[in-house]
Amino acid sequence: MSVISQVPVTKYMVASEMSKREHWVTEKFKHEDRSYLDLPFSFSYGGQPSHQLLKNWDLQRHTQQLDEHRTENKLVYTDTVTGLVLSCLMVEYHHFPIVEWTLSFRNTGSENTPIIADIQALDTKFTSKSEGEYLLNHHTGSPCTPTDYQPHQTLLEPETSKEISTSGGRSSNSDFPYFNLQWREGGVLIAIGWPGQWSVKFNRDEGSELHIQAGQELTHFLLHPDEEVRSPLIAMQFWDADCLRAHNTWRYWMLTQNLPRPYGQPVAPQTAACSSHQYEEMINANEENQKMFIDGYLREGLKLDYWWMDAGWYPNESGWTNTGTWEVDTIRFPNQLRAITDYGRSKDVKSIVWFEVERVTPGTWLYDNHPEWLLGDTEWKLLNLGDSDARDWLIEHVDNLINEQGIDLYRVDFNIDPLVFWRGNDSENRQGITEIKYVMGFLNYWDELRRRHPDMLIDTCASGGRRNDLETLRRAVPLLRSDLILEPTAQQNHTYGIASWIPFYGTGINAFDAYTFRSQMCVHSTACYDMRNPDQDFEELRQRYAEWSVVSPYSLGDYYPLTPYNSTNEVWMAWQFDRQELGEGVIQVFRRPDSVYESARFRLQGLIADGKYTLNNLDQLDEVEVTGRELMESGLLVSITEQPGSAIISYKLKG
């Protein structure tokens, strides 16, 4: 089944939304009257607000069409007195009601600049034409809880405010950097692309005006001559009336314009497997048992796209957390990892290899040989990716490992909060600089690896889902969306929340029974079975994987939650994935263990009202025909007698 390639892009174009975006862009970025200035960002410079200063700075405009989907607009403001140059790089999308921008500051003068402070990459106001309230939709991040990605709604009444930020410097550590602000006439989706410490504030006045500011949480610094820094990326999508449709427009934009495209193709459903849940965090892994596990899966007819070598393949006398010597442990792997990756590829199984290069611990090569590259005065230290020497070494070293060991997918963990290291390295007049340089170095590092390996995926893990901002997801995919895996209710909740924003994500699978396995299903699934035990019910497992092969391609289509979010076990939870261009889709339904109800009715979405659909419950042999109108208006009745129990129902438009 083709994945998203057949979707007509016009499906996601609504004239009123495009017009609203264009009007907003014209007012904010393209207004010709220099006396009128309503730019959607702000900062102070030498104690003066930017909205006053920029009216008097030199301005140059540059426009170019990047490709069939995007036009780039660049505003360049120059302070001729100090030589500070502010560039705003703004991109409009031709087929989506989406605009994005990033700021950069460069000192072209011969002296240090005055203090640049309080940079708000987003600083704008919205005024509702009606008297309705503003409703802010936001989510928990991924702090390894059963309620990771939980959706929240905050009513922004007159004279109220709401401030949200991540914690510790990882971008989705406590809160998710994606927001849907809605009012009676529609709304706007906002994303912050910043793999660092971001903050956003929503302030409503006594009337109908709402003020939004977002950016790096702390900025107060001077720039040295020829020094340049950047702001977070801001992306905004305007929408009218239909909130669910807005999120599906966003999902399609993420798939087609943002997520990596190995071999020039959209990311597709994947299966992987690893042995780290049977061994003590890979400490006992060796060439023999890794090959044995690969053979075990293939022997049982369980196709793998990837074999996953997890933490611990390097020398680590005190355990897998002892990171900083990035060489293969030749005691356990005398033929290097290449023996395993080549073995897998000979059986059409590619390799994933785990790294955590940013955290450095005592007794390792980096710790002992390059203390000048490390940040912090604690036992665990942070490799300073803002240091060009450290970054250049890392690029060459990891690139060599990828080539020498035959690594197909580079898995990146990040089990340390960097904020205290960044801020501890800043002086009074350089607050925020270490973080900015680190973020710029981090993105440059990944960009260079991707330039050298254009068909290689990167997995952003970061303790399971703690670095999932937009800039990161333009370079990587989250194969482990949370470090809390396997428990079925939590896995249902995670899918329910993350799917509104991120279409490609993964988790671990270890179940044989239908209810648990179906709860764990993701578009990327990593098997965690003990292939040393031949007495497991592999026939049952093959059936579960056959179900995954039905569901997973639809997971990249439109997403419709069919029930409210609920973290308790007394309810049903259900959602629908729809591939309208194919006239097909799937409904996943869960009756949780403490629910007393044996049936529930769900109104489907996104169907053709006059079309006839054939429905197939994967647990039953019979098919039924129902019109799209019936399914959307009366709903689909689903009965589940098991407690807990589940159902997967696929549908297809007839002729």
Side-chain angles (χ1 to χ4, degrees), residues 11 558 560 578-584 606-608 613 653:
K11 172 186 173 184
D558 289 343
Y560 298 102
D578 180 70
R579 295 281 300 278
Q580 191 179 81
E581 79 282 5
L582 300 175
E584 301 176 15
L607 307 182
I608 298 173
Y613 290 84
L653 181 66

Side-chain angles (χ1 to χ4, degrees), residues 136-200:
L136 176 63
N137 300 278
H138 53 107
H139 293 249
T140 302
S142 184
C144 191
T145 69
T147 54
D148 286 1
Y149 304 105
Q150 178 178 356
H152 306 278
Q153 289 189 326
T154 299
L155 183 63
L156 298 173
E157 298 179 303
E159 299 185 272
T160 62
S161 63
K162 176 73 173 179
E163 182 170 355
I164 301 172
S165 64
T166 190
S167 65
R170 290 185 288 178
S171 56
S172 48
N173 196 16
S174 59
D175 289 84
F176 212 37
Y178 303 87
F179 308 90
N180 187 348
L181 178 67
Q182 66 181 99
W183 51 88
R184 186 170 297 178
E185 306 94 62
V188 61
L189 275 59
I190 301 170
I192 305 170
W194 188 248
Q197 185 70 16
W198 56 264
S199 176
V200 61

Side-chain angles (χ1 to χ4, degrees), residues 578-594:
D578 180 70
R579 295 281 300 278
Q580 191 179 81
E581 79 282 5
L582 300 175
E584 301 176 15
V586 68
I587 305 106
Q588 294 173 260
V589 184
F590 302 93
R591 178 191 177 188
R592 290 183 175 168
D594 298 330

Side-chain angles (χ1 to χ4, degrees), residues 448-469:
E448 180 58 20
L449 284 186
R450 294 176 69 232
R451 187 191 68 79
R452 299 185 185 194
H453 305 276
D455 298 320
M456 180 187 74
L457 273 176
I458 296 175
D459 165 31
T460 172
C461 176
S463 301
R466 301 194 194 202
R467 189 158 57 183
N468 280 343
D469 62 283

Side-chain angles (χ1 to χ4, degrees), residues 460-630:
T460 172
C461 176
S463 301
R466 301 194 194 202
R467 189 158 57 183
N468 280 343
D469 62 283
L470 183 55
E471 282 281 32
T472 300
L473 294 187
R474 285 186 165 171
R475 297 161 171 84
V477 289
L479 301 189
L480 194 63
R481 62 189 177 184
S482 171
D483 261 359
L484 194 146
I485 62 174
L486 306 178
E487 196 282 321
T489 298
Q491 296 310 298
Q492 295 167 27
N493 291 337
H494 293 176
T495 296
Y496 187 105
I498 195 174
S500 291
W501 291 100
I502 301 176
F504 192 95
Y505 47 82
T507 192
I509 286 184
N510 74 334
F512 292 82
D513 68 285
Y515 178 79
T516 307
F517 187 99
R518 291 169 178 178
S519 300
Q520 298 167 350
M521 275 186 182
C522 288
V523 67
H524 173 99
S525 293
T526 297
C528 307
Y529 297 93
D530 188 349
M531 303 310 292
R532 298 168 297 179
N533 179 3
D535 298 327
Q536 299 172 98
D537 192 345
F538 287 110
E539 180 58 37
E540 181 78 5
L541 189 57
R542 285 188 285 272
Q543 175 61 34
R544 301 284 81 81
Y545 267 84
E547 294 172 353
W548 175 87
S549 69
V550 171
V551 171
S552 58
Y554 297 123
S555 300
L556 293 172
D558 289 343
Y559 166 66
Y560 298 102
L562 301 179
T563 62
Y565 177 92
N566 195 307
S567 60
T568 71
N569 278 328
E570 291 81 20
V571 300
W572 289 48
M573 179 171 274
W575 55 76
Q576 170 193 359
F577 288 109
D578 180 70
R579 295 281 300 278
Q580 191 179 81
E581 79 282 5
L582 300 175
E584 301 176 15
V586 68
I587 305 106
Q588 294 173 260
V589 184
F590 302 93
R591 178 191 177 188
R592 290 183 175 168
D594 298 330
S595 172
V596 298
Y597 301 103
E598 293 190 356
S599 63
R601 189 176 294 272
F602 306 98
R603 290 188 177 91
L604 304 192
Q605 310 240 5
L607 307 182
I608 298 173
D610 295 331
K612 289 187 177 179
Y613 290 84
T614 301
L615 275 65
N616 178 25
N617 188 319
L618 270 59
D619 294 317
Q620 301 170 7
L621 297 177
D622 57 326
E623 294 182 346
V624 297
E625 275 189 22
V626 190
T627 67
R629 179 172 285 105
E630 289 178 84

